[in-house]
Amino acid sequence: MARVDVIRVKGGARLAGDVTVGGAKNSALKLMAVALLAEGRSVVANVPRITDIAIMAEVLRRLGCDVTLDGTEAVIDVPSEPGSEADYDLVRRLRASICVLGPLLARRGYVRVALPGGDMIGSRGLDMHVAGLARMGAEISGEHGFVIASAPGGLHGAKIWLDFPSVGATENILMAAVLAKGVTEIDNAAREPEIVDICEMLNAMGAKIEGAGSSTLVIEGVDGPLKPVRHTTVGDRIVGGTWAFASVMTRGDVTVHGVRPEFLDIALDKLVNAGATVEPGDNKFRVRMDARPRGVDIVTLPYPGFATDLLPMALGLAAVAEGSSLITENIFDGRFMFVNEMVRLGADIRTDGHHAVVNGRDRLSGAPVRATDIRAGAGLVIAGLCADGVTEVGEVHHIDRGYPDFVSDLARLGVEVERTDVPEPTFDF
């Protein structure tokens, strides 16, 4: 009989202690793709030990690279002519693998990448990726579930306006532009710390990029080859934010190491509004909460706004806060998919389009629930800490994709928690 993993937490815990956050998943995956731009050995340090990194390593191996994952380092040896095709069986498991499109097009002049899968949190089309690369001279078509891009005359600089500050489109255009002829300007570019991280690695390799962290990126294409480098991944602000919300929800006292607090300015400010004490430090911050949190209204927006990936934690906070909260999701149309699972824990949530009205309750009640994506999974476990009895979260392979040591970190912070396998339910027809 097939068995599946679940995480069980006992409610009533108060998180207290120190937790160290590793490198950002959303940065490390793209930095591994950046390595494709230079022949030779690049090392990406501080990579999280998660499934997605292993999948990305395999994507690169099938492109002809020799990849070794050694602890928190990805050692990537890139051949003089990497392959130009990323297969569906891997791309469907890792949406981020679409980011090989830009660097391979720049280096090889031809690339064939399967259309991606990834989390079920709403439509995330590739229109802006395709439109931006086309402005740089790429010929792009789609057939049999693949995006096929070629640049027989090479790529050239262009002025590109993004309708929305898409992280993925910014990354793909940026990585293609560093080897294009002339200057590329990306307006309304994404401003996330992970974009800055990519720019820093590219500049260390010999690229010429200005404006990282602003809404306008100016990339002067370089003629010569880029050189391989060693680069350390920025800390994961979403994991750091998860622990910050967990501390407030459980009336705890947690110091988060490895994340710069300025990357979470708005989220931490919301926690202060809820009644928490936040002490920022050098690449760390402390979050303390003594009483029941107050309800706060939250609106997700592109960085530096409140991160959509923290929305499940925001809903969890609202569910146990005093008073009502209005939570508005502006990024992904399917982000509220997991709300039914929160309701199973006793949360009082009403959704209407991209708004959720949450009436806080003093306690939730433990129940079996299932993760629908990475952040929803973590949010449900954290909500379970504020519930009477035991909460069992299924489909925890989602959590593994974003939180490398989730169960052991919870245990160190004082939670009664176990990860175990249970028989997979079977049905007779």
Side-chain angles (χ1 to χ4, degrees):
M1 179 183 285
R3 300 181 73 82
V4 291
D5 275 10
V6 298
I7 292 175
R8 288 197 189 110
V9 288
K10 187 174 179 186
R14 175 183 181 268
L15 296 192
D18 293 69
V19 65
T20 299
V21 171
K25 159 186 127 75
N26 290 337
S27 197
L29 293 167
K30 318 302 174 58
L31 296 170
M32 291 171 74
V34 167
L36 287 167
L37 285 160
E39 182 184 351
R41 174 172 291 186
S42 283
V43 179
V44 181
N46 196 31
V47 299
R49 296 186 308 281
I50 53 174
T51 338
D52 281 12
I53 294 289
I55 298 171
M56 190 64 175
E58 188 57 31
V59 170
L60 296 180
R61 286 186 193 111
R62 294 204 196 168
L63 292 168
C65 302
D66 185 13
V67 185
T68 307
L69 299 178
D70 182 9
T72 57
E73 287 191 354
V75 182
I76 304 160
D77 283 290
V78 180
S80 57
E81 285 208 354
S84 54
E85 182 164 322
D87 294 329
Y88 177 66
D89 66 320
L90 286 175
V91 175
R92 73 182 172 83
R93 295 174 59 197
L94 178 64
R95 191 181 174 85
S97 52
I98 194 68
C99 67
V100 301
L101 183 62
L104 287 179
L105 182 60
R107 273 205 69 194
R108 294 298 315 275
Y110 173 85
V111 61
R112 190 169 180 264
V113 181
L115 289 166
D119 281 339
M120 297 185 298
I121 50 174
S123 57
R124 299 194 277 188
L126 297 177
D127 295 359
M128 284 184 282
H129 302 239
V130 167
L133 294 172
R135 284 189 69 85
M136 296 167 68
E139 295 171 5
I140 300 174
S141 60
E143 62 178 47
H144 308 300
F146 280 84
V147 177
I148 299 162
S150 63
L155 295 171
H156 56 73
K159 203 168 166 56
I160 297 165
W161 166 266
L162 298 180
D163 291 336
F164 176 86
S166 157
V167 172
T170 300
E171 289 164 344
N172 255 327
I173 296 164
L174 174 64
M175 287 189 271
V178 294
L179 292 179
K181 296 184 187 79
V183 175
T184 300
E185 185 176 304
I186 309 173
D187 282 320
N188 200 28
R191 300 164 57 188
E192 275 75 358
E194 295 80 16
I195 297 282
V196 177
D197 207 19
I198 290 167
C199 290
E200 286 176 356
M201 179 167 172
L202 285 167
N203 281 339
M205 294 166 79
K208 295 179 178 175
I209 304 164
E210 292 180 358
S214 77
S215 57
T216 304
L217 288 171
V218 180
I219 307 107
E220 185 184 335
V222 296
D223 195 17
L226 298 181
K227 63 180 190 292
V229 294
R230 178 187 176 86
H231 180 84
T232 301
T233 312
V234 72
D236 197 315
R237 62 196 167 93
I238 305 301
V239 176
T242 300
W243 294 122
F245 273 82
S247 180
V248 174
M249 287 168 64
T250 63
R251 306 178 199 185
D253 182 353
V254 176
T255 301
V256 179
H257 300 265
V259 180
R260 288 163 58 178
E262 59 267 32
F263 292 163
L264 285 161
D265 268 350
I266 289 186
L268 294 177
D269 195 46
K270 289 293 182 185
L271 294 180
V272 170
N273 292 343
T277 301
V278 175
E279 299 170 14
D282 182 18
N283 209 35
K284 66 177 182 179
F285 56 88
R286 180 183 181 189
V287 179
R288 285 185 295 131
M289 189 73 189
D290 299 322
R292 185 180 175 191
R294 295 187 292 271
V296 288
D297 295 341
I298 287 173
V299 177
T300 67
L301 287 166
Y303 188 86
F306 190 94
T308 178
D309 278 356
L310 288 175
L311 181 125
M313 301 16 140
L315 276 169
L317 175 69
V320 298
E322 210 169 329
S324 298
S325 306
L326 176 63
I327 312 289
T328 303
E329 167 59 34
N330 287 315
I331 312 296
F332 293 129
D333 51 17
R335 184 62 91 178
F336 286 145
M337 275 176 61
F338 80 103
V339 162
N340 289 342
E341 303 302 306
M342 287 286 288
V343 170
R344 283 178 58 77
L345 295 176
D348 180 353
I349 305 173
R350 305 264 187 294
T351 59
D352 181 9
H354 60 120
H355 301 287
V357 176
V358 189
N359 295 309
R361 294 194 160 154
D362 192 39
R363 299 291 295 169
L364 300 175
S365 61
V369 291
R370 66 182 184 91
T372 52
D373 65 71
I374 300 172
R375 311 304 170 185
L380 288 165
V381 173
I382 301 298
L385 302 180
C386 307
D388 292 324
V390 173
T391 295
E392 182 178 286
V393 181
E395 312 230 359
V396 296
H397 60 277
H398 287 296
I399 300 174
D400 295 341
R401 291 184 47 219
Y403 297 83
D405 302 302
F406 198 51
V407 168
S408 51
D409 284 339
L410 283 166
R412 275 193 294 273
L413 292 171
V415 175
E416 273 190 57
V417 57
E418 67 167 351
R419 180 172 179 143
T420 186
D421 61 344
V422 297
E424 188 169 25
T426 54
F427 304 96
D428 294 323
F429 292 99

